[in-house]
């Protein structure tokens, strides 16, 4: 036996499984019930968020843009009639699987396959009898890419399975968070507030956007925070009119508007928040807009309650912004689900905004969490006022999770 085999197959690293066996058992039960309702016999999961939700699997590399010789192949198969899942992976990740998952059935690709385990996986699933029906794949996930997804689908079909889009099964299950998940969201909020306070404390004229970014990352890491799914924007000056820009070596200047948008992360659960700062006292017309916007955010918090109808919330937001004279200055007003996320995104599946009927018939049920974004263009094109709060709904209450004031914060 080669020494690497001894390490791969006999090393016993310290376990870092993120949740209890009972939590994972309950998740699997919910998934199987949803599969039965959707008419799916086997769910084939390759999205990092899905693999994590089922097993705790997490890695720093998912072969998303890898060479053709190293295609994304690791996956988890869940069958509607079985109370365990099968984890398929490269032997190079055997140790990783023992650290982060409680998998009782891990099957490693043959060594000569490199990382291309698709044919092996299908053969194993066929022998197990898991391909005698309808297979759901995650067609709306970036992983795997188009070529690998089509090839895997063809292999399933050749083995006798009917293949359908099963993306929404797990996404809908993840909408309602368990008590353990709610605990993670609260901790992510604590970390996010630490990050925002650090950004505020280090914001001054002459520092670069990257320096502010580095300070908030350091503060959140020291508080136990993890790498977020999106590279967090720190933007200054008229650059704030492009909210999805990146922090650069640009130095913050007197008179700048500065935006900080971040997520605290705990056990991969994200809570998002953003605030706007002014380098020096802003002009009167800027104060007029931002004061109204801050008042609107406070009003919106007052609307929160468990089982709040999304449509009712949207209508109240729009009416208030129209009355305040802010509606015509809006960039985007709305929000999306917060929860498990891996790079390159933290935007959840559930989206709402006042101009769309999408999800308007739904409720903000206990166990759900969303962010809410306010974006308003300031006078003379100087930038945007940008604020994000995140809301957590439980059986007994609904509340915003960000701590810093909503007002435009002046840095002297």
């Amino acid at each position: 036996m080669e020494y690497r085999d001894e390490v791969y197959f006999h090393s016993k690293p310290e376990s870092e499984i993120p949740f209890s066996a009972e939590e994972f058992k309950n998740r699997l039960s919910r998934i199987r019930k949803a599969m039965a309702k959707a008419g799916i016999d086997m769910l084939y999961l390759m999205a990092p968020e899905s693999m994590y939700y089922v097993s705790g699997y997490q890695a720093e590399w998912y072969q998303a843009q890898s060479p053709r010789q190293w295609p994304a192949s690791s996956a988890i198969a869940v069958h509607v009639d079985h109370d365990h899942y099968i984890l398929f992976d490269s032997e190079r990740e055997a140790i990783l699987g023992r650290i982060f998952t409680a998998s009782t059935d891990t099957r490693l690709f043959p060594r000569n396959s490199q990382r291309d385990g698709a044919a092996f996986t299908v053969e194993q699933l066929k022998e197990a009898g898991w391909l005698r029906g309808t297979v759901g794949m995650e067609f709306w996930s970036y992983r795997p890419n188009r070529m690998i997804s089509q090839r895997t689908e063809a292999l399933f079909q050749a083995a006798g399975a009917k293949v359908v889009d099963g993306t929404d099964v797990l996404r809908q299950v993840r909408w309602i968070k368990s008590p353990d998940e709610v605990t993670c969201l609260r901790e992510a909020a604590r970390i996010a507030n630490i990050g925002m306070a650090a950004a505020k404390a280090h914001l001054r004229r002459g520092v670069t956007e990257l320096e502010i970014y580095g300070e908030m990352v350091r503060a959140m890491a020291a508080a136990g925070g993890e790498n977020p799914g999106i590279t967090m924007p720190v933007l200054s000056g008229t650059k704030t009119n492009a909210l999805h820009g990146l922090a650069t070596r640009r130095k913050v200047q007197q008179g700048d508007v500065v935006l900080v948008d971040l997520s605290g992360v705990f056990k991969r659960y994200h809570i998002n928040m953003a605030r706007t700062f002014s380098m020096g006292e802003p002009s009167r017309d800027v104060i007029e807009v931002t004061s109204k916007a801050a008042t609107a955010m406070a009003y919106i918090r007052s609307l929160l309650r468990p089982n709040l109808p999304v449509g009712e919330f949207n209508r109240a937001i729009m009416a208030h912004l129209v009355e305040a004279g802010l509606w015509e200055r809006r960039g985007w007003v709305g929000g999306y689900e917060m929860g498990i996320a891996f790079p390159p995104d933290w935007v959840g599946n559930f989206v709402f905004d006042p101009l769309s009927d999408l999800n308007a018939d739904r409720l903000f049920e206990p166990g759900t969490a969303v962010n809410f974004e306010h974006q308003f263009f300031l006078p003379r094109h100087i930038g945007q006022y940008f604020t994000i709060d995140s809301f957590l709904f439980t059986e007994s209450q609904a509340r915003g999770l960000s701590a810093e004031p909503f007002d435009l914060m002046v840095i002297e």
Side-chain angles (χ1 to χ4, degrees):
M1 177 184 294
E2 295 184 10
Y3 184 65
R4 68 171 179 173
D5 293 335
E6 183 178 330
V7 175
Y8 282 159
F9 301 113
H10 299 289
S11 173
K12 296 181 179 179
E14 180 182 350
S15 174
E16 295 187 39
I17 300 170
F19 297 100
S20 68
E22 188 65 21
E23 172 73 9
F24 283 123
K25 179 181 178 181
N26 290 338
R27 293 182 183 188
L28 190 59
S29 176
R30 292 179 63 201
I31 293 168
R32 290 169 61 202
K33 287 179 181 177
M35 290 169 61
K37 185 177 180 180
I40 292 176
D41 298 291
M42 191 193 81
L43 198 57
Y44 191 68
L45 305 170
M46 293 188 71
E49 293 80 3
S50 301
M51 295 179 68
Y52 180 84
Y53 185 82
V54 173
S55 73
Y57 187 104
Q58 56 181 312
E60 54 91 30
W61 182 49
Y62 286 91
Q63 305 84 46
Q65 286 290 91
S66 297
R68 296 183 183 186
Q69 294 82 1
W70 295 346
S73 296
S74 58
I76 286 178
V78 176
H79 197 280
V80 71
D81 294 328
H82 295 271
D83 61 3
H84 77 283
Y85 56 85
I86 303 175
L87 169 62
F88 295 95
D89 209 347
S90 162
E91 65 176 16
R92 291 177 178 243
E93 311 299 353
I95 299 171
L96 182 145
R98 292 201 292 277
I99 295 172
F100 293 109
T101 79
S103 173
T104 60
D105 190 350
T106 300
R107 306 188 187 187
L108 303 175
F109 309 148
R111 178 167 296 171
N112 61 6
S113 71
Q114 299 263 347
R115 287 185 173 270
D116 189 354
F120 169 80
T121 298
V122 173
E123 177 185 317
Q124 292 285 304
L125 290 170
K126 184 176 181 179
E127 289 181 1
W130 284 28
L131 298 181
R132 296 173 186 158
T134 300
V135 171
M137 294 179 63
E138 296 177 293
F139 289 165
W140 283 87
S141 172
Y142 79 95
R143 183 183 191 269
N145 64 35
R146 182 173 184 265
M147 297 304 295
I148 298 171
S149 179
Q150 288 182 330
R151 186 181 64 178
T152 304
E153 180 180 0
L155 288 169
F156 283 146
Q157 290 172 335
K162 175 186 176 183
V163 179
V164 299
D165 180 17
T167 307
D168 286 343
V169 172
L170 205 60
R171 289 186 178 184
Q172 290 298 327
V173 168
R174 285 168 46 200
W175 168 238
I176 303 294
K177 275 67 174 179
S178 70
D180 283 356
E181 291 176 287
V182 169
T183 297
C184 290
L185 291 167
R186 293 187 190 279
E187 183 65 8
R190 183 189 70 83
I191 293 165
N193 281 307
I194 288 172
M196 189 61 70
K200 180 180 178 181
H202 289 88
L203 183 54
R204 59 187 183 276
R205 291 181 295 278
V207 301
T208 67
E209 295 167 349
L210 283 169
E211 286 179 281
I212 300 301
Y213 170 85
E215 290 295 339
M216 68 186 193
V217 169
R218 186 211 61 78
M220 288 193 288
E226 302 159 19
N227 181 45
I230 292 175
T231 300
M232 300 177 291
V234 177
L235 308 174
S236 59
T238 56
K239 182 180 179 178
T240 60
N241 286 318
L243 294 179
H244 295 150
L246 292 173
T248 67
R249 287 167 288 278
R250 184 187 188 276
K251 292 184 177 181
V252 175
Q253 303 170 27
Q254 177 70 13
D256 276 351
V257 173
V258 180
L259 306 182
V260 178
D261 180 5
L262 57 80
S263 268
V265 188
F266 184 76
K267 293 187 179 180
R268 300 314 310 162
Y269 286 79
H270 286 55
I271 285 294
N272 184 210
M273 57 188 64
R275 289 295 187 273
T276 307
F277 304 87
S278 175
M279 303 307 298
E281 193 67 31
S283 60
R284 182 174 299 177
D285 56 355
V286 169
I287 293 174
E288 181 180 355
V289 173
T290 59
S291 296
K292 289 180 179 179
T295 300
M297 283 298 288
Y299 166 74
I300 286 162
R301 271 195 174 184
S302 75
L303 300 173
L304 301 178
R305 67 179 190 272
N307 289 309
L308 171 65
V310 175
E312 176 187 324
F313 185 60
N314 284 339
R315 290 189 294 273
I317 292 167
M318 186 171 179
H320 183 88
L321 295 180
V322 169
E323 184 179 354
L326 290 171
W327 186 249
E328 296 304 320
R329 285 190 175 275
R330 75 191 184 281
W332 185 66
V333 173
Y336 50 79
E337 177 191 4
M338 301 308 301
I340 300 171
F342 287 81
D345 221 328
W346 70 45
V347 178
N349 182 59
F350 185 98
V351 179
F352 63 96
D353 75 71
L355 286 178
S356 172
D357 292 331
L358 184 66
N359 294 316
D361 58 342
R362 301 279 294 275
L363 304 176
F364 292 117
E365 304 161 79
T368 62
V370 296
N371 83 340
F372 180 75
E373 304 193 8
H374 251 191
Q375 305 169 10
F376 300 103
F377 291 102
L378 297 172
R380 301 181 308 284
H381 305 174
I382 67 169
Q384 282 193 73
Y385 166 90
F386 182 41
T387 297
I388 297 176
D389 197 4
S390 284
F391 306 148
L392 178 62
F393 297 84
T394 65
E395 292 285 351
S396 60
Q397 66 175 347
R399 57 184 292 261
L401 299 174
S402 59
E404 293 290 341
F406 296 125
D407 303 273
L408 179 68
M409 289 180 272
V410 178
I411 306 297
E412 298 295 347

